[in-house]
Amino acid sequence: NSDTLSGKLSSFLSNTSTRVKKDGEYNIIDQHAKAKNLYISTLFMLNLKYASKLNPDGIFILSAKYGLLDLEQEIAPYEQTLNNMRVNEVKQWASSVIEQIKKISTIDETEFVFLAGEKYRKYLLPHIKNAQIPLEGLRIGEQLQRLKELTA
């Protein structure tokens, strides 16, 4: 499969709620849009900028609702997060995401960069041989500061 990432670099971002700024207020988007356009938090935008700077072979969003998302994939907006899910539900989600990753990469040969929260990584990491977590252990404010430095 020529679309498979093998021995390449992939970046994973976690999502935040799907909102768009309009007339100075935040409104939930009510129509399908490209995944990369649904998430507009500062953290997401800086993570995306940093991931792009790494020049990976793929950048994907880890979505609580959709699993692994390509940036260009058209999706319906939603309000769902792993933060409100039970452990067994998160494990089930992770198992499904691992299957999605296996469809697009040679999982043992690909290097993965996680720019995603601990909840989004926890049950994925045991299945991933080559993982980097550049913002591990940093609180949100510290992540934002570090990302600003890395993307300056």
Side-chain angles (χ1 to χ4, degrees):
N1 180 344
S2 63
D3 293 337
T4 300
L5 303 171
S6 177
K8 313 247 178 159
L9 180 68
S10 289
S11 294
F12 295 134
L13 315 173
S14 60
N15 61 2
T16 52
S17 60
T18 55
R19 298 182 184 276
V20 66
K21 193 168 187 176
K22 181 180 169 188
D23 299 328
E25 294 179 21
Y26 287 94
N27 297 317
I28 295 174
I29 298 173
D30 61 358
Q31 59 200 17
H32 281 69
K34 288 182 180 179
K36 69 179 181 185
N37 296 330
L38 282 180
Y39 311 108
I40 63 154
S41 76
T42 303
L43 183 60
F44 179 82
M45 299 307 284
L46 285 170
N47 273 328
L48 181 56
K49 188 175 178 182
Y50 175 61
S52 300
K53 211 172 168 178
L54 296 174
N55 199 26
D57 297 287
I59 298 175
F60 302 91
I61 297 169
L62 295 172
S63 162
K65 181 168 183 167
Y66 296 103
L68 191 68
L69 283 174
D70 183 275
L71 293 177
E72 301 297 321
Q73 192 171 334
E74 294 258 340
I75 59 168
Y78 64 95
E79 291 291 325
Q80 189 172 331
T81 174
L82 294 187
N83 295 331
N84 304 330
M85 293 167 70
R86 293 189 172 106
V87 170
N88 65 326
E89 293 172 318
V90 176
K91 285 180 177 178
Q92 212 171 357
W93 171 87
S95 178
S96 170
V97 169
I98 289 296
E99 291 309 309
Q100 290 176 293
I101 292 170
K102 286 178 179 175
K103 288 178 184 172
I104 58 139
S105 74
T106 309
I107 201 165
D108 289 338
E109 296 172 18
T110 304
E111 186 174 342
F112 297 98
V113 178
F114 282 85
L115 300 169
E118 198 267 341
K119 262 248 175 137
Y120 285 80
R121 303 186 309 254
K122 185 174 184 175
Y123 299 109
L124 297 175
L125 290 175
H127 304 276
I128 295 184
K129 195 169 159 183
N130 305 305
Q132 292 179 36
I133 310 161
L135 305 173
E136 187 172 24
L138 300 180
R139 294 186 298 260
I140 299 290
E142 295 167 329
Q143 288 181 42
L144 291 169
Q145 183 59 42
R146 184 75 182 120
L147 286 165
K148 286 175 186 169
E149 293 164 4
L150 291 169
T151 57

